Amino acid sequence: MSVRPLEIDDPRLVLDQLRGKIAALQGGPSRLGVPVLPLFEGLLTLRTGGVYGVDSATLGMALAAGASQAGEWVGFAGWDDFGVEAAHQQGIVLARTVLVPAPGEHWLEVTAALVDVLKVVVLRPPGTVDAKSASILDARLRARSAVLVVQGEWPRCEARISAEHIAWDGLDAGRGRLRERRVTLVARQPGRAPVRARAVLP
């Protein structure tokens, strides 16, 4: 048996490592990191078993894109206006993407089934989500080591990501084509100060 010292450069990393070790000792599933796009690095860590809130379709796709590019399957539920071209531009690998555009009143069962087989599921709930429904999915996420990204309200989120100070580039003197969006991304986590980072979105 070998002993490897913990990395202590980043206190948050030490806490995450200790939480993972405690979960392993208790027999619970370890909360593993899920790849994210470079624009989210330093802003938040996506971990299995967690729910993350976003305020736009663009951020929902972007959060799923890192796992998709790393070879994982991802899914979208409740997206009746899902844009294939937009998803492709965000980096979603369409060949490993499952779409349920309109689950209707069966959204909870559909989302639970997707969580069973996919690494990241992006959900647009049909309305207000009660604590009982959220708890059902929370338990499923932990058991299946998956991640849920929600566009809309959710009773408990590990972090909520939003975009501020949006500026478009490409329209010079009133002419041209829009090329990119420059935004300030904000991650808000319970009990912590908001974290902000500048980013460029396609």
Side-chain angles (χ1 to χ4, degrees), residues 20-36:
K21 291 179 182 294
I22 290 170
L25 289 172
Q26 293 175 336
S30 295
R31 304 211 47 211
L32 305 175
V34 175
V36 294

Side-chain angles (χ1 to χ4, degrees), residues 11-30:
R12 291 176 297 182
L13 179 59
V14 174
L15 288 175
D16 289 341
Q17 290 174 339
L18 289 174
R19 288 188 184 112
K21 291 179 182 294
I22 290 170
L25 289 172
Q26 293 175 336
S30 295

Side-chain angles (χ1 to χ4, degrees), residues 2-201:
S2 61
V3 177
R4 188 164 62 94
L6 290 172
E7 299 291 338
I8 58 173
D9 295 337
D10 185 346
R12 291 176 297 182
L13 179 59
V14 174
L15 288 175
D16 289 341
Q17 290 174 339
L18 289 174
R19 288 188 184 112
K21 291 179 182 294
I22 290 170
L25 289 172
Q26 293 175 336
S30 295
R31 304 211 47 211
L32 305 175
V34 175
V36 294
L37 295 179
L39 64 95
F40 293 112
E41 291 176 359
L43 190 68
L44 84 159
T45 302
L46 214 59
R47 295 208 172 274
T48 57
V51 179
Y52 299 84
V54 295
D55 67 350
S56 70
T58 298
L59 289 178
M61 288 183 177
L63 269 185
S68 181
Q69 291 178 11
E72 300 287 357
W73 281 75
V74 300
F76 294 82
W79 288 54
D80 55 0
D81 60 348
F82 183 83
V84 173
E85 183 62 29
H88 178 69
Q89 289 182 1
Q90 286 283 2
I92 301 289
V93 180
L94 299 175
R96 290 193 301 272
T97 301
V98 176
L99 173 64
V100 184
E105 63 183 17
H106 302 293
W107 70 270
L108 182 60
E109 294 87 345
V110 167
T111 305
L114 292 176
V115 163
D116 280 350
V117 294
L118 307 177
K119 181 59 68 177
V120 179
V121 176
V122 187
L123 169 69
R124 276 186 187 160
T128 303
V129 178
D130 59 86
K132 181 180 179 181
S133 298
S135 296
I136 291 171
L137 284 178
D138 286 345
R140 202 69 158 259
L141 291 167
R142 291 191 296 270
R144 300 299 187 184
S145 294
V147 172
L148 182 66
V149 177
V150 178
Q151 184 187 350
E153 293 301 316
W154 196 260
R156 295 176 302 276
C157 286
E158 298 216 358
R160 295 185 183 274
I161 301 93
S162 57
E164 297 179 348
H165 310 299
I166 302 170
W168 289 89
D169 285 338
L171 292 180
D172 301 319
R175 303 176 63 183
R177 297 179 62 186
L178 295 173
R179 292 189 301 268
E180 62 186 22
R181 277 177 289 175
R182 291 178 286 108
V183 302
T184 299
L185 295 179
V186 185
R188 294 179 172 86
Q189 296 175 272
R192 298 185 182 181
V195 179
R196 288 175 167 81
R198 294 287 295 166
V200 176
L201 300 175

